[in-house]
């Protein structure tokens, strides 16, 4: 063996050794190289399936049944006499159920107070989670849910000689909910909404209401949050004596229950009612504002 | 000269063949944090791990959002309130096998080894020694371990208002199956 072959052999060995060595070293690097690019989906953009009055993008997961009670008391005009408005509470109770993680349905019954206040009504809705906000492998800036609803007013017709049909009891709602969870604490939602009522109380009330809702949540702690919701109706569509619904709320999540307390001018609990039948102006103060709450409990009916 | 080259190639060939890096091809990390009142358990099959059987180094990465629960609300609370997976997307373990010379890849019997390393959960690092059982079959290495993590060790708050009854210690079971890693 001459010198050249010898040295090249040594080099060869060295190269081989270095190769194996460097190869065995960096598990961290291998980890980085092999980790699949994940998509991180935004979860819990809002605590409840309702932001305050209206729907949030959230829905019960597959196989989950949610029972929900909602109350809106009378105005705080004479709080002692009415016990914070409890004398004139409107109530809705309803169920929401997740057929799949994207599709959910709900039904409810609202109590009727009559007059300028909402009539007794049954309501049904379907909600579809079209898009979910995500980062990572899939980048999606917002979550979008679609809501379609219809409601049947069951109030007895007054004996005023006017001919009405059962069709006049129906109203329809369509909503596109667009939400973004900006960070752990802050989420914002836009709600373009159309409500069609087959019958209105007076000619200055339009049958079709077009509104843009805006709402948000600011978490104060892991389990509590401040919320706000405002629906701007297209001007001159509500009729005299009706106003846009405004609400400010406080959410408490106890793990299994979500408890929402709110101050609002609206006695209505479903879209045609809170959009079309809010008969006080929030900015008039206590004589216009009501206390209310939503209370929900979830049950896992079918375990996944 | 040819003989030398040949033997050099043989050495290279041998070293490449007995390459010491193994990658996990399947994994199952599960935990139980329940009490007699309520079952709280979750399973994660999206973890990744590498193992160097020469040096004994082990590294494990566990995506927190891939823990799946039977109840979706528990999963939401786990991600939002306890593990805070948006802030801490991964749990990790980096360690070294203490008795790496004991590993015999030809063994048909289970081998008991210990791994000492740092476990990072909820952004808090804790040194831990894990008792691991290794089994070898069909050229695959299977490692299984079971251990308890006190939630307080990793600054994970237990809920004060209780509908979910959570245990103070979470018992973790993990099973990783490794195969030789082929460099791409």
């Amino acid at each position: 063996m001459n010198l050249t072959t010898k040295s090249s052999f040594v080099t060869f060995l060295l190269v081989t050794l270095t190769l194996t060595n460097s190869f065995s070293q960096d598990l961290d690097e291998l980890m980085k190289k092999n980790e699949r690019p994940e998509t991180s989906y935004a979860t819990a953009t809002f605590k409840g399936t309702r932001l305050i009055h209206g729907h949030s993008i959230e829905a019960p997961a597959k196989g989950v049944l949610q029972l929900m009670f909602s109350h809106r008391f009378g105005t705080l005009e004479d709080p002692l006499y009415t016990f914070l408005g409890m004398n004139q509470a409107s109530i809705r109770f309803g169920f929401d159920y997740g057929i799949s993680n994207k599709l959910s349905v709900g039904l409810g019954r609202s109590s009727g107070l009559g007059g300028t206040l909402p009539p007794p009504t049954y309501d049904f809705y379907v909600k579809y989670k079209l898009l979910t906000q995500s980062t990572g492998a899939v980048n999606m800036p917002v979550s979008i849910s679609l809501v379609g609803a219809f409601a049947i007013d069951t109030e007895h017709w007054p004996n005023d000689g006017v001919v009405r049909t059962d069709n006049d009891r129906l109203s329809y709602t369509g909503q596109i909910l667009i939400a973004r969870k900006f960070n752990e604490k802050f989420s914002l939602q836009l709600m373009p909404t159309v409500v069609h009522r087959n019958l209105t109380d007076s000619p200055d009330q339009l049958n079709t209401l077009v509104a843009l809702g805006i709402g948000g949540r600011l978490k104060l702690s892991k389990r509590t949050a401040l919320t706000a919701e405002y629906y701007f109706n297209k001007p001159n569509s509500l009729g005299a004596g009706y106003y846009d619904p405004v609400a400010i709320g406080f959410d408490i999540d106890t793990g299994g229950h979500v408890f929402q307390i709110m101050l609002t001018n609206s006695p209505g609990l479903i879209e045609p009612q809170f959009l079309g039948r809010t008969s006080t102006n929030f900015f008039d103060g206590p004589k216009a504002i009501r206390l209310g709450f939503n209370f929900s409990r979830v049950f896992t009916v079918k375990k996944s | 000269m040819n003989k030398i080259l040949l033997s050099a190639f043989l050495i290279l060939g041998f070293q490449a063949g007995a390459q010491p890096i193994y990658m996990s091809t399947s994994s199952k990390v599960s935990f139980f944090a329940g009490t007699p009142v309520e079952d709280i358990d979750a399973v994660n099959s999206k973890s990744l791990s590498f193992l160097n059987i020469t040096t004994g180094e082990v590294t494990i990465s566990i995506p927190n959002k891939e823990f799946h629960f039977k109840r979706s609300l528990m999963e939401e609370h786990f991600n939002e309130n306890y593990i805070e997976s948006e802030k801490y997307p991964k749990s990790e373990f980096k360690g070294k096998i203490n008795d790496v010379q004991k590993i015999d890849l030809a063994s048909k019997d289970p081998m008991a080894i210990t791994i000492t390393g740092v476990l990072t959960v909820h952004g808090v690092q804790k040194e831990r020694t894990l008792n691991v059982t290794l089994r070898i079959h069909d050229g695959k290495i299977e490692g299984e371990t079971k251990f308890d993590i006190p939630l307080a060790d990793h600054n994970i708050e237990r809920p004060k208002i209780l509908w979910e009854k959570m245990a103070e210690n979470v018992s973790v079971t993990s099973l990783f199956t490794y195969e030789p890693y082929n460099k791409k």
Side-chain angles (χ1 to χ4, degrees), chain A residues 1 5 16 24 35 41 219, chain B residues 1 4 52 61 65 80:
Chain A
M1 200 194 287
T5 11
T16 317
S24 71
E35 266 177 323
Y41 290 100
K219 272 182 102 171
Chain B
M1 168 58 203
I4 293 166
N52 183 327
S61 166
K65 276 202 175 173
E80 227 198 337

Side-chain angles (χ1 to χ4, degrees), chain A residues 184-246:
Chain A
E184 255 179 281
K185 289 204 154 72
F186 183 63
S187 306
L188 195 69
Q189 184 176 275
L190 289 176
M191 305 81 94
T193 304
V194 176
V195 167
H196 180 83
R197 310 172 280 182
N198 279 353
L199 184 70
T200 61
D201 293 342
S202 74
D204 66 340
Q205 299 169 6
L206 299 189
N207 287 87
T208 302
L209 301 176
V210 179
L212 177 65
I214 180 165
R217 159 189 94 163
L218 183 68
K219 272 182 102 171
L220 301 178
S221 73
K222 277 185 186 170
R223 292 162 193 288
T224 57
L226 269 180
T227 56
E229 189 186 71
Y230 197 128
Y231 278 86
F232 296 90
N233 277 287
K234 206 174 131 196
N236 306 320
S237 54
L238 292 177
Y242 289 102
Y243 301 88
D244 288 338
V246 185

Side-chain angles (χ1 to χ4, degrees), chain B residues 33-109:
Chain B
T35 55
V37 188
E38 191 162 30
D39 275 0
I40 301 175
D41 52 350
V43 183
N44 187 330
S45 57
K46 297 278 165 71
S47 307
L48 184 64
S49 175
F50 283 93
L51 165 68
N52 183 327
I53 50 157
T54 311
T55 61
E57 291 167 276
V58 182
T59 146
I60 300 175
S61 166
I62 306 166
N64 289 331
K65 276 202 175 173
E66 296 294 341
F67 277 102
H68 295 301
F69 292 68
K70 289 194 199 91
R71 291 170 193 268
S72 56
L73 193 70
M74 275 183 195
E75 194 166 313
E76 186 179 312
H77 289 152
F78 169 78
N79 283 307
E80 227 198 337
N81 298 335
Y82 306 124
I83 204 87
E84 300 184 79
S85 52
E86 249 152 68
K87 248 194 262 172
Y88 312 108
K90 280 174 202 156
S91 298
E92 287 174 326
F93 180 78
K94 265 178 208 173
K96 227 167 177 175
I97 301 172
N98 295 318
D99 25 25
V100 69
Q101 71 287 346
K102 257 174 66 179
I103 300 176
D104 172 12
L105 289 180
S107 169
K108 289 217 162 83
D109 300 321

